[in-house]
């Protein structure tokens, strides 16, 4: 596994010809499915933003390493909220389908990942504690918060106004790149097998929430 982490570092630091366009990882068909789901929940259309700002970026040098995406919180905000969700009806948290948490189901290809990701975000209900005796039943997309320009001044007025769908799209692209990267570097049964063992070990420990996230 040590060799695999070296390969991950090389992929991120020296991607070379593997620094392909976002649209070649998070493909237009996925965007259209996500767009339809976002329209169903009443969010504004962001096709113009996808076409102008995101789909032609290089996945590493222009997306993962873009400092503005970081300072605007367009990736970190949705990740913080939906990465690992503690629920009232289970000792185990509910995890977003991504590489960077204890999600243990199959992520061996992007089609499989996306079907699970969009179901998690827009269809699966979770019961989250709001006090020691009360809970709220919700769906992960409803947990996302608008991003304020007053708090994060690098975000544009337009991005702030449409921050819910834009951060959701950026979060989806981020997760897609991670799944693509891992499946490019290491055979899926290898990295997913090791990850599954980690999840099983943490299950035995009944860990606190902070233990669940890489």
């Amino acid at each position: 596994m040590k060799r695999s982490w070296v390969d991950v570092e090389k992929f991120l630091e020296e991607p070379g010809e593997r620094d392909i366009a976002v649209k070649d990882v998070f493909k237009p068909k996925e965007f259209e499915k996500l767009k339809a789901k976002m329209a169903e929940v009443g969010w504004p259309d962001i096709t113009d933003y996808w076409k102008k700002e995101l789909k032609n970026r290089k996945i590493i040098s222009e997306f993962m390493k873009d400092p503005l995406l970081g300072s605007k919180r367009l990736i970190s905000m949705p990740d913080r909220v939906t990465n690992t969700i503690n629920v009232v009806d289970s000792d185990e948290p509910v995890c977003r389908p991504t590489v960077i948490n204890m999600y243990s189901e199959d992520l061996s290809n992007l089609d499989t990942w996306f079907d699970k990701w969009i179901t998690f975000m827009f269809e699966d209900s979770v019961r989250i504690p709001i006090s020691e005796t009360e809970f709220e039943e919700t769906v992960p997309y409803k947990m996302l918060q608008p991003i304020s320009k007053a708090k994060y001044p690098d975000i544009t007025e337009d991005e702030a106004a449409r921050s819910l769908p834009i951060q959701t799209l950026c979060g989806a692209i981020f997760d897609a790149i991670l799944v693509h990267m891992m499946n490019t570097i290491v055979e899926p049964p290898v990295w997913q097998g090791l990850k599954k063992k980690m999840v099983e070990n943490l299950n035995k420990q009944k860990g606190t929430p902070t233990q669940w996230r890489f």
Side-chain angles (χ1 to χ4, degrees), residues 15-189:
E17 63 183 16
R18 295 185 294 188
D19 200 10
I20 59 179
V22 164
K23 65 183 178 182
D24 294 325
V25 174
F26 190 81
K27 297 182 178 180
K29 67 177 182 177
E30 273 75 48
F31 172 74
E32 291 300 325
K33 290 178 183 177
L34 178 57
K35 173 184 171 181
K37 281 292 185 184
M38 295 192 295
E40 286 177 13
V41 302
W43 288 351
D45 181 40
I46 55 169
T47 301
D48 60 320
Y49 194 86
W50 158 250
K51 290 181 176 179
K52 182 180 178 182
E53 299 291 341
L54 295 173
K55 76 171 190 175
N56 293 314
R57 288 180 182 231
K58 299 298 184 183
I59 59 172
I60 303 301
S61 59
E62 297 175 351
F63 188 86
M64 299 294 274
K65 291 188 173 182
D66 179 12
L68 270 180
L69 286 177
S71 61
K72 292 175 181 181
R73 299 298 191 268
L74 290 171
I75 298 172
S76 60
M77 190 73 78
D79 178 60
R80 179 177 63 83
V81 174
T82 66
N83 184 290
T84 301
I85 303 172
N86 294 308
V87 292
V88 299
D89 44 6
S90 175
D91 290 334
E92 299 176 15
V94 174
C95 294
R96 190 179 76 245
T98 186
V99 171
I100 55 169
N101 60 16
M102 292 293 111
Y103 185 81
S104 60
E105 295 184 26
D106 181 31
L107 297 176
S108 60
N109 63 74
L110 285 168
D111 288 339
T112 297
W113 160 77
F114 183 69
D115 287 344
K116 293 178 178 181
W117 190 95
I118 205 162
T119 298
F120 165 85
M121 286 296 294
F122 290 95
E123 298 176 22
D124 291 346
S125 63
V126 292
R127 299 200 299 173
I128 57 174
I130 56 177
S131 72
E132 291 186 1
T133 58
E134 297 178 301
F135 68 86
E136 175 185 5
E137 188 158 354
T138 189
V139 182
Y141 82 87
K142 293 181 179 180
M143 300 171 66
L144 300 176
Q145 299 295 318
I147 301 174
S148 165
K149 184 170 178 58
K151 189 170 183 180
Y152 302 105
D154 284 337
I155 199 168
T156 67
E157 295 285 357
D158 175 58
E159 288 169 333
R162 298 190 290 174
S163 61
L164 289 173
I166 290 174
Q167 69 178 283
T168 302
L169 174 57
C170 288
I173 293 169
F174 174 73
D175 285 340
I177 292 171
L178 292 175
V179 172
H180 165 76
M181 179 180 69
M182 292 305 297
N183 288 330
T184 297
I185 293 169
V186 190
E187 287 295 322

